[in-house]
Amino acid sequence: MKNALFENVGNGRFREVTEEAGVGGDGYWGMGCSVADYDNDGNLDLYVTNYGPNTLYHNLGNGRFEEVAAKTGADDPRWSSGSAWADFDGDGDLDLFVSNYIDLDRKNLPEPGSPDYGAMGSAKMGCQYKGLDVSCGPGGMKGAGDSLFVNQGNGTFKESARAFGLDDPQGRYGLGAVWSDLEGDGRPDLYVANDGGVNFLYRNLGNGRFEEIGLLSGAGVREDGAEQSSMGLAVGDYRNEGIFSLFVTNFAEDYCTLYHNEGGLNFTDVSEIAGTRTATLPYVNWGTFFFDYDNDGWPDLFATSGHVFPQADAVQSRTLAPYRQRCLLLQNLANGRFRELGESAGFTQARIGRGAAFADLDDDGCLDIVVNNIDAAPSLYWNICGSDNRYRALKLVGSHSNRAAVGARVRVRVRDRWQMQEVISGGSYLSQNDLRLHFGLGKAEKADEILIRWPSGRTTSLKDIRGGQTLTVTEP
């Protein structure tokens, strides 16, 4: 097994450069990745989580990478899943959080039929699903705990999860992770999607400590208080009201949860009234993100789908999706509600989807999508740009802040309506979206105002920026 890196050579073509770039891996089972410039040298580095020691590929700037996880102290040996970067302590360089899954001892596995050999988080179910014999879920096994690698500013990291209260002593089964300033106070908070348990929301207290408030905030469980089996997550201001909400993907026969941010880190499950509950209920969803696919100025939602049990095809049920499933596209109706139109938008192929990311791969002003599939090649969905709506993309370069400007918050005004986005490393399901920010302008020819709040606290104001192409902005 190996990783794969494809170079975008233009004209809609890619070239595999895995071997020459030196990122093929060491034969471990790769789970996911995130991107950051951890040493502020202007080159984006790559972190890969594995079932086995994780890898940190330092970008040498010449098309090659050097694996430096052990040398830098960022080599988590456990079964890692999500990874996300942020400057949580405000010192100008990026720190790394890693969510871990199961503390699996292959020499001491639970015996089939024993109380510790549960499936889907319940020992009573044994290893059956809908009456079918299936592979077992994590229930009954020990969670691995999580890691926080604090950047020392000299090219090395110090693992400090326990010191900052992020080590997960309960041993939840961590999957997706994302940093975002959900409170709007200039400090990145941390949200972790857990499989078969309460999701974590760590409030950044700004004094070297975090407070876990998943249950207290309303973002740890669904509306009726039930725990879910969460995988992927997305952050976005879907109502254009100046505050970020959360979207979390979950397992079969359970809906994806849309948590509206009411302010003060209080969240409400609005999945039913927003229309996302019914649309997602039959599927097993994974990678997800907010993005403006039609450039109308309202963030839409995307989610990949695919069951974990091949035996699902043998279950005859109108409400249960099969093993291979199509992707979902939830169009923002600009009134707090969404409409699912994946099939009509071209998402008709059934795959076993997992990771997902967006980027404007051909720089035509419309966001494209890449989906990682099990037992199949990745899917690449080109956005055909079906409307004449305009856009403005921004590439931010930090100087006092971290060089990749991760954590920068940008607000864009078109006439009397504001949009807001943040530069995020990590998120989705173990995936990495484009670090460039992409704003739809609708029919407007320009953005009337752009306000940037850099991670350092400095601000930049731009006026009357015409739509089209990517504008590079350097922190003053």
Side-chain angles (χ1 to χ4, degrees):
M1 294 180 291
K2 70 172 185 177
N3 307 321
L5 177 64
F6 296 91
E7 179 188 8
N8 189 338
V9 296
N11 298 317
R13 303 290 298 175
F14 293 81
R15 180 175 70 96
E16 185 179 352
V17 294
T18 308
E19 295 304 322
E20 61 187 84
V23 295
D26 297 320
Y28 297 108
W29 188 2
M31 296 295 295
C33 66
S34 59
V35 168
D37 182 1
Y38 78 87
D39 56 353
N40 288 328
D41 65 354
N43 300 311
L44 292 176
D45 310 299
L46 176 64
Y47 193 79
V48 178
T49 56
N50 298 303
Y51 173 46
N54 296 339
T55 48
L56 174 58
Y57 294 105
H58 178 229
N59 191 336
L60 301 178
N62 59 359
R64 290 194 56 81
F65 293 78
E66 178 190 7
E67 204 292 294
V68 296
K71 183 167 67 174
T72 61
D75 56 335
D76 199 317
R78 296 173 287 183
W79 184 350
S80 299
S81 48
S83 61
W85 299 79
D87 182 10
F88 79 90
D89 51 7
D91 63 357
D93 48 38
L94 291 173
D95 312 293
L96 171 65
F97 175 83
V98 176
S99 56
N100 292 302
Y101 196 50
I102 296 172
D103 184 7
L104 185 62
D105 181 1
R106 291 192 293 178
K107 296 181 180 179
N108 187 29
L109 296 175
E111 290 293 329
S114 71
D116 291 335
Y117 199 68
M120 308 312 301
S122 171
K124 294 181 180 180
M125 293 180 65
C127 292
Q128 287 199 333
Y129 178 76
K130 299 291 184 179
L132 300 170
D133 291 331
V134 297
S135 58
C136 289
M141 295 193 228
K142 182 182 178 182
D146 299 327
S147 300
L148 176 68
F149 297 100
V150 179
N151 196 326
Q152 302 298 292
N154 59 2
T156 66
F157 296 86
K158 181 180 179 182
E159 204 293 302
S160 308
R162 180 176 296 180
F164 287 93
L166 301 178
D167 56 324
D168 178 22
Q170 303 173 55
R172 297 287 188 183
Y173 310 124
L175 287 175
V178 68
W179 294 92
S180 177
D181 182 8
L182 298 172
E183 197 169 13
D185 60 0
R187 298 189 293 264
D189 309 295
L190 176 65
Y191 189 75
V192 182
N194 290 314
D195 187 4
V198 178
N199 295 331
F200 293 144
L201 175 56
Y202 294 101
R203 168 185 258 154
N204 189 337
L205 300 178
N207 59 359
R209 294 290 298 175
F210 290 82
E211 177 188 13
E212 202 290 295
I213 58 170
L215 275 177
L216 183 65
S217 70
V221 294
R222 70 186 190 190
E223 184 179 32
D224 61 359
E227 298 177 353
Q228 297 177 286
S229 294
S230 300
M231 278 85 80
L233 42 85
V235 176
D237 181 13
Y238 74 97
R239 293 177 62 171
N240 286 339
E241 56 190 350
I243 195 166
F244 291 125
S245 295
L246 296 164
F247 185 75
V248 183
T249 58
N250 296 300
F251 192 68
E253 298 175 270
D254 195 359
Y255 60 90
C256 297
T257 315
L258 178 60
Y259 295 106
H260 178 250
N261 192 340
E262 309 291 346
L265 289 182
N266 294 301
F267 293 83
T268 302
D269 178 355
V270 297
S271 309
E272 179 66 36
I273 60 176
T276 60
R277 183 184 188 276
T278 301
T280 60
L281 186 60
Y283 300 91
V284 181
N285 295 118
W286 302 85
T288 186
F289 43 77
F290 287 97
F291 77 135
D292 189 356
Y293 86 93
D294 54 1
N295 287 332
D296 67 349
W298 293 90
D300 310 293
L301 271 168
F302 176 85
T304 59
S305 304
H307 220 295
V308 298
F309 302 134
Q311 299 92 327
D313 289 339
V315 179
Q316 301 299 317
S317 172
R318 291 182 301 170
T319 61
L320 180 66
Y323 184 44
R324 290 172 174 80
Q325 303 172 13
R326 67 172 178 85
C327 299
L328 305 180
L329 179 62
L330 298 163
Q331 182 186 36
N332 192 331
L333 301 180
N335 59 3
R337 294 183 57 82
F338 292 83
R339 174 179 58 190
E340 207 287 305
L341 42 71
E343 285 190 303
S344 63
F347 298 101
T348 57
Q349 291 183 324
R351 294 284 188 268
I352 316 163
R354 291 296 185 264
F358 70 81
D360 186 358
L361 294 170
D362 51 359
D363 287 329
D364 65 350
C366 297
L367 294 173
D368 311 298
I369 297 172
V370 177
V371 174
N372 221 17
N373 300 304
I374 290 180
D375 295 332
S379 299
L380 172 56
Y381 296 99
W382 291 111
N383 192 331
I384 308 302
C385 293
S387 73
D388 58 356
N389 289 334
R390 297 176 175 85
Y391 78 101
R392 167 52 72 186
L394 298 173
K395 178 182 178 181
L396 304 185
V397 180
S399 53
H400 300 275
S401 306
N402 67 87
R403 188 73 174 270
V406 171
R409 172 176 288 204
V410 178
R411 300 182 67 212
V412 171
R413 181 173 63 85
V414 178
R415 300 187 178 96
D416 61 348
R417 188 177 75 235
W418 287 92
Q419 303 175 53
M420 185 174 69
Q421 294 182 34
E422 190 176 43
V423 181
I424 290 178
S425 171
S428 184
Y429 176 70
L430 323 187
S431 303
Q432 176 66 59
N433 297 314
D434 194 343
L435 291 178
R436 297 177 297 178
L437 301 182
H438 183 105
F439 293 88
L441 304 181
K443 305 301 181 186
E445 295 185 356
K446 65 178 182 178
D448 296 287
E449 189 172 4
I450 298 175
L451 299 177
I452 304 171
R453 189 192 71 189
W454 301 89
S456 66
R458 295 178 176 233
T459 60
T460 298
S461 177
L462 306 171
K463 297 288 184 68
D464 299 326
I465 304 299
R466 294 188 63 83
Q469 299 183 332
T470 299
L471 175 66
T472 299
V473 183
T474 301
E475 181 181 15

